[in-house]
Every structure is written in C-alpha cells, then in structure tokens.
Amino acid sequence: MRLKVTVMLMIILMGLLLYIFYIDPWGKTSPDIEEGRNPFGEAAADIEYISFRNPSTNATTTIEKQGKQWMLTQPFLWPANEFAVNRILTQIRFLDKKISFRVDSLNVAETNLTEYGLEPAQLHLEFGKGDKIESIDIGKITDIGDNLYILSSDKEFIHVVDRSLRDNIALTHSELRDNRIFLSGIFEVTSWNLAIKDGSGQQISSSRTRLTKTDGQWNFETPIRARADSPTVNTTLNQILSLETAEVLADSTPNIDFGLQSPDYSITIQTESSREVLDIGAKIKDGPNQGLRYAKMEKRPTLFLIDLDFENIIANAQTKLRDRHIFDLDLTATTSVVIQRGENEPLTLQRLETGEWEVLIRDADQGITSSKGDKRAIEATLETLSNLMAVPDTGFINDAPSAADIEREGLKTPRYTINVTSPKILGKDVTLAVPKTETLLIGNRNPEATKERAIKIEQKASIFYAYDDMLSSLDDDPILYQNHSIYQLPASSQISYITIEKLSDQSVLLDTSLPEEPIERYTAFSQEIENIRAKSFVSNSLLSSVNIGDRLRPWAYKLSIYIPTGGNMPVQSLQLLISEITGGPLLMGGSINSNQTFRFEQPFIDAFTALVFDRVRIVTPSQPFAPLEEDIPAEEPAVGIETPTTP
C-alpha cells in the first residue's frame, strides 16, 4: 500500500516538474494571459476612430484622427481637445477587467441582459482603425463595488470593469472640442492678412491689410509699404491666435442674418506649412449672446460665436498697427545733421572720427567757420528727432498726397528742412556700405488742432501730423549746439582760493584765502566749479543786464577762481558774473573770460544757492514784536553782508 502511494506521489511530482521546466519555464507568463487582462485585446492597441452613442436619444459623438490631429466629426466638424482624447485612449488601452462570465450562462442563473443594463444598452462605444472596429455595449453600474457591466464585441461575454470608462466617454461636446480657433503658434506666423467690409458691403482692396515678418520685424505690404509697430502687431496677433469659441452652433444651416456671405472681417494667418482663414460676421444685438459675433473657418462648415473684444484695433489696423516713428534711420549712429530754417544758410553738425562733434556755419563774408560742438546738446537734438512720431490714430493723414496737398500743408516751402545721415537702419545692426540720408520737412500747423504740425520725409510719399512741442526745441542757431563748457580746471591743477563779491555794495561774501575761510569747508561748491557747463546760451556776448522775471536786472554777484602758478601769487583763472538768485531753476551767468551769457545747470544752482544763503543767519525773536538779537559767529563777520532777496 505504501509503495502504491509512493509511486503515485512520484508521478504527480514528475508532472509538476514537467510543467515548470517545459510548459512554463522559470515562471514565464503566457502572452495570452497578459492579453486577457484587457477585455478588448489587440483592438485597444491602435485606435484612430472613437464613437459613442446614447441609444435613448440617438445622440452620437465621433472623433477621428486626421493626419496628426484628432477631429470631432459628429455632431460638427471641429478640432478635438487632445487632452480629453488622450484620456479616453488611455482608459481603453489600460482598462482591466475585474471578472468575466459568459452570456449563455445567464439562462442557467435565470437572468438576462436587461438586468445588467445591456438590453437595451445605456451607451454604445465603437473604436478601432480602418475596418477593424470594436463595438461595445455599456450597461449599468454594479450594485456593489462601483464597477460597470460591458458586453463584448462578439456578444459572448459580460465583463465587469472600472466605471471610469463610462465617465470618460460621457464628456460633453464643449469638453471634447478644442476651444481654440487657430492652430498656428505666434512664432510660426510669417504673414497675415486682414480684409474689412466697407460701407457698401464689399471687401475692397483699399480695406485690405497685409503684414509680413522679416528678421523679426513686421512690415506693411498693403495698402502701403511701411514699417509696422512690431510689439503692437505681436500683441494683436497673439489676441487673434488666442481667440476661443464662446459657443459652437451644431446646427450650421446657412443664414443670411449671420452675415458670413460678406463677412465684416476676414483674417488670414499664414505659416510656412499652413493657411487658416477666419470669417467674422454679424454682431448679435440682443439676447444672452448680445455682443458676440458669428464666425466660421474657411475649411470647416461649422458656425460658432466669438467675443471680438479688440475689434477697435482690427477695424483700424492700418493706423493702430503702424510704426509711428518718422525716421527709418537709426539716429544714434548719425554722422551728420544739416538744419536749415526757410531760406537761411544751413547749419551743419558733423561727427568726427573721434566721436566728437563740430559745428559748421556758412557765412557770406567768412565762408565756412567751425567750432567745437557740444556732444550732449547735439545728442539731445538727435534723440528728439529719433522720438519724433505721428500723432496716434489721426497722424497718418495722407499716404498718396498730390502736389496741391503738399503745398497746402506748407511742405513745398517748409519752415525747416533737416537732413540726417546715418549708416544704420532703425532696428537693424547691419552697417550700410553707403550711409543713407533722410530729409525731414516741417510745414504748417494743423488748422483743426493747432498743437499739431504737418511733417514729411522728402524721400517718401506720406504726410504726417506730429505734436508741435516735439519740434519746438529744433533750431538753427549755432549757439545751441556749440561747446557748453564754460570752465574746465586745467589738468594737474587745483583751486587755490575762491572769492564771491556782492556787486551792489562791493561787499565780499566769501574769500577762502583768509585763514578763517579754509577751502575744505566748501568742498561741494569747489568740486562743482571745477567743471562748469552752461545749460543753454543766451548770447555769444557778455550782456550788461539780464532778463529775470520779465525785467532787466543788473548782475548781482561776481565769482573769481584762482589757481597756483608756481610763484608766490596765484593767478586769476576765471571771472563769472552771476544774476540774482530767484529760488527757482533759473540762474544766469556771464563769463568775462569767454565773453558769453548763459544759464547755469541745476547742480551749480543748488551749490551756489546753498553757499550764498548760508552766509547770513536770521534769528527769529522768542516773543512777537521783540527786537531781533543777532547771533553771528565771530569767524563769520557780518559787516557789509545782506540777506539776498528774491525779486
């Protein structure tokens, strides 16, 4: 008996070993078992078509892959939401069945498909590729476990799977469609067109705008070749590409009220590989969608609604998107400027190879005379010209003027003619082989807006209006551009002492040569006078009196600067006459050395005012109407010193 048991056990053991080593060696799982986890098998691996239908309403939603893009094809044609589609695909591909049982076993259990919500089915799902389509019926949620009953494509098995399959395919159309209208990215766009309907209902050529991008710069190609304002164009283009559908109209039956037979606006976006056209029709005047517009893409019949909240820019693109700068040249690289007032002799500002400027004046008696130019003053003028712009919106007055238009705007005999030469174009870092010249003509004031003036680049057709205050600083007086340096302390020198004299009574306010007036106490002022510059010039002669507060006034102070010469006595290096102190940003000066009258810059005004006012202290009495008691330090004698007054 024991032998039989032993033999039987040996046979069972040998059978197990045979299975382990030959049928499933090293515990390797059969592919059929892996495939058995997904109820759809190989059909879930490659999907380019998904459709689900509600049998009770017969509402069908179909998504198909067209090229590389998923598209909703039912109930309307529209790009699908890639995230929603990928979620459905993931759900189908990685769905695990909890348990399965055969349909023919339902009779034995005395039940039927109806009890599982499968006859009729609550949802019907189809997916696959080409002619390999898997058709699945989806039933009700299980009573226990929150799972879902589905009927296999061959109708032989009922599978219990996770209910997330039903949740993912029960998305609404608004969740399944891509809200975007354009598929192009802003950096892909090479050109775009805009057609606007005119008052007669026709989209005419003069209402068409075309912009193209070259080296990152946007330019108008039509209706006129001109530079566009690239930042504004990019902002507007981004608004266009970011347009979203407010609502898709599933019933896209053509309707004359939609205004799409002759759209108000037609926007064409072009990239190197695509072309998208959006037609924008009538605006809805009332109801819940009031203010929205009907729209349609050229290659799709589906109608939808959009909110065109930047319509003002689109409707006025030819002015809103245009670069308002007048000059095409980069004026920071200017090599020469010629300024001529009317028929006067022109004034030339010439940049030298050293980077310094010289002023050239044509004189009938002396020929051409030159003087050192002031770099700051000339560059300020160039900055004014560089920032010269057309008045927003209304400044582009005529892109094809007649001779009569030019004469009427005062540009045939301009108030000013300014020639600017530069080897660079604005916005480009390339140096031209031959420098280019542009000529600015400044004409009459705008009769309807006196703060505006007509201007024109002589080499171009267009006439503009610019704000007159931008042009008011332009002048042909050489005194404005000559070297503004009044005094420069000689190299390797230092100031020995300073004196300030009050001219009305010949009293000395300051004399730093005295022992009690060491110059170190006036370091701030002494540093300021080492390099004195004129803010502007009044005259190239030393005037005997100056205009302050609409009155001619005599000079109030005299400033003298002394420097050592190696001998016993310092030499007088500079003598300046200074006007009365006004307490404001105006202080006049007269150089005895260079015979010039000028206005001081603010740093000198601050230092000089603080110094002069600090020389006298006024003590307020402790009691009203009590006599004043002077409290003046011994080292600052008050003899002959008066408090400066403001005229």
Side-chain angles (χ1 to χ4, degrees), residues 166-432:
R166 176 172 177 167
D167 296 337
N168 280 304
I169 65 172
L171 298 176
T172 63
H173 293 150
S174 61
E175 293 172 314
L176 287 171
R177 64 177 169 83
D178 192 338
N179 286 331
R180 294 181 308 159
I181 296 172
F182 291 98
L183 302 179
S184 303
I186 188 169
F187 297 108
E188 301 174 298
V189 180
T190 56
S191 67
W192 58 288
N193 302 353
L194 172 65
I196 302 174
K197 185 172 67 176
D198 69 350
S200 65
Q202 300 295 320
Q203 289 185 348
I204 56 177
S205 58
S206 61
S207 297
R208 294 182 182 272
T209 303
R210 175 175 172 81
L211 296 104
T212 59
K213 184 166 62 174
T214 305
D215 297 330
Q217 170 68 47
W218 285 101
N219 297 284
F220 280 90
E221 295 292 332
T222 58
I224 183 175
R225 295 183 66 87
R227 188 174 59 248
D229 183 358
S230 290
T232 305
V233 171
N234 283 327
T235 299
T236 304
L237 181 58
N238 186 60
Q239 288 177 297
I240 292 172
L241 297 178
S242 300
L243 279 172
E244 294 187 349
T245 54
E247 182 182 340
V248 173
L249 306 179
D251 180 8
S252 296
T253 306
N255 188 323
I256 193 170
D257 294 334
F258 295 163
L260 290 167
Q261 290 82 359
S262 178
D264 288 353
Y265 306 103
S266 183
I267 302 173
T268 303
I269 302 295
Q270 289 183 293
T271 69
E272 291 183 355
S273 58
S274 66
R275 180 179 181 272
E276 298 179 277
V277 181
L278 171 66
D279 290 333
I280 302 174
K283 182 183 289 188
I284 300 175
K285 297 180 179 179
D286 50 34
N289 292 323
Q290 182 179 358
L292 301 182
R293 283 184 174 272
Y294 293 102
K296 186 181 78 67
M297 295 300 288
E298 182 183 59
K299 295 182 179 180
R300 297 198 296 267
T302 308
L303 301 182
F304 52 93
L305 302 179
I306 62 169
D307 181 8
L308 194 63
D309 56 359
F310 53 98
E311 182 177 349
N312 182 47
I313 297 177
I314 295 297
N316 300 282
Q318 294 179 11
T319 55
K320 294 285 188 182
L321 302 182
R322 192 157 165 185
D323 190 341
R324 296 191 293 117
H325 286 90
I326 303 302
F327 285 95
D328 281 342
L329 295 178
D330 181 355
L331 299 193
T332 62
T334 299
T335 55
S336 72
V337 183
V338 180
I339 304 174
Q340 184 176 16
R341 182 202 291 263
E343 299 297 326
N344 293 352
E345 289 293 331
L347 168 71
T348 300
L349 309 174
Q350 188 76 38
R351 192 198 295 266
L352 304 176
E353 292 183 358
T354 60
E356 298 297 321
W357 288 86
E358 67 175 352
V359 181
L360 304 178
I361 307 169
R362 293 178 176 86
D363 187 276
D365 298 328
Q366 302 180 24
I368 297 178
T369 60
S370 67
S371 61
K372 186 176 180 180
D374 189 81
K375 188 174 182 179
R376 274 199 246 173
I378 295 173
E379 288 183 350
T381 297
L382 289 174
E383 184 177 3
T384 298
L385 292 172
S386 181
N387 292 331
L388 188 61
M389 294 185 180
V391 174
D393 300 334
T394 60
F396 304 98
I397 59 173
N398 200 329
D399 288 321
S402 64
D405 294 330
I406 292 174
E407 185 171 5
R408 183 178 60 255
E409 298 293 348
L411 295 167
K412 183 178 180 180
T413 54
R415 174 171 170 259
Y416 270 100
T417 301
I418 302 176
N419 292 279
V420 180
T421 302
S422 175
K424 289 189 176 182
I425 303 298
L426 186 65
K428 296 183 179 180
D429 200 28
V430 179
T431 301
L432 302 174

Side-chain angles (χ1 to χ4, degrees), residues 510-612:
L510 176 68
D511 186 348
T512 61
S513 66
L514 301 176
E516 62 270 20
E517 295 284 3
I519 197 169
E520 290 79 8
R521 292 182 56 188
Y522 310 100
T523 301
F525 181 70
S526 62
Q527 288 178 346
E528 190 61 42
I529 62 179
E530 289 179 359
N531 182 15
I532 302 175
R533 284 179 51 85
K535 180 180 181 181
S536 61
F537 287 96
V538 176
S539 174
N540 269 342
S541 62
L542 181 59
L543 303 178
S544 59
S545 59
V546 288
N547 192 334
I548 298 178
D550 294 329
R551 291 176 56 190
L552 286 177
R553 298 174 183 270
W555 296 107
Y557 306 97
K558 181 180 178 181
L559 167 68
S560 300
I561 299 173
Y562 297 84
I563 61 173
T565 59
N568 293 330
M569 293 296 295
V571 66
Q572 192 176 60
S573 180
L574 176 68
Q575 284 187 301
L576 289 181
L577 299 177
I578 301 175
S579 70
E580 189 57 88
I581 299 170
T582 66
L586 175 64
L587 187 65
M588 308 290 286
S591 173
I592 298 175
N593 299 57
S594 62
N595 196 35
Q596 293 172 308
T597 305
F598 59 93
R599 295 181 180 89
F600 283 105
E601 292 185 325
Q602 193 62 44
F604 181 91
I605 298 175
D606 295 339
F608 183 77
T609 302
L611 180 65
V612 171

Side-chain angles (χ1 to χ4, degrees), residues 63-195:
I63 309 171
E64 299 182 56
K65 193 171 186 180
Q66 299 179 356
K68 294 182 178 180
Q69 183 183 6
W70 283 93
M71 297 288 294
L72 268 167
T73 56
Q74 279 186 289
F76 47 76
L77 183 63
W78 195 264
N81 184 329
E82 295 282 343
F83 295 103
V85 173
N86 286 331
R87 196 165 63 189
I88 295 172
L89 291 174
T90 300
Q91 187 66 53
I92 293 173
R93 288 169 179 166
F94 297 98
L95 185 67
D96 285 344
K97 62 184 178 184
K98 311 292 183 181
I99 192 173
S100 300
F101 50 90
R102 296 185 64 86
V103 173
D104 55 18
S105 67
L106 297 181
N107 294 331
V108 178
E110 296 184 353
T111 185
N112 54 47
L113 292 173
T114 302
E115 294 188 19
Y116 297 96
L118 294 168
E119 195 176 70
Q122 296 185 3
L123 283 175
H124 183 72
L125 170 66
E126 291 184 352
F127 61 87
K129 179 180 179 182
D131 56 356
K132 297 180 179 179
I133 301 298
E134 192 83 359
S135 182
I136 307 296
D137 286 335
I138 298 176
K140 69 176 187 178
I141 306 298
T142 60
D143 296 330
I144 300 175
D146 204 28
N147 293 313
L148 181 71
Y149 294 112
I150 64 173
L151 182 62
S152 64
S153 184
D154 57 11
K155 312 301 182 186
E156 293 185 2
F157 289 92
I158 296 175
H159 303 295
V160 179
V161 299
D162 193 280
R163 67 166 294 171
S164 56
L165 174 66
R166 176 172 177 167
D167 296 337
N168 280 304
I169 65 172
L171 298 176
T172 63
H173 293 150
S174 61
E175 293 172 314
L176 287 171
R177 64 177 169 83
D178 192 338
N179 286 331
R180 294 181 308 159
I181 296 172
F182 291 98
L183 302 179
S184 303
I186 188 169
F187 297 108
E188 301 174 298
V189 180
T190 56
S191 67
W192 58 288
N193 302 353
L194 172 65

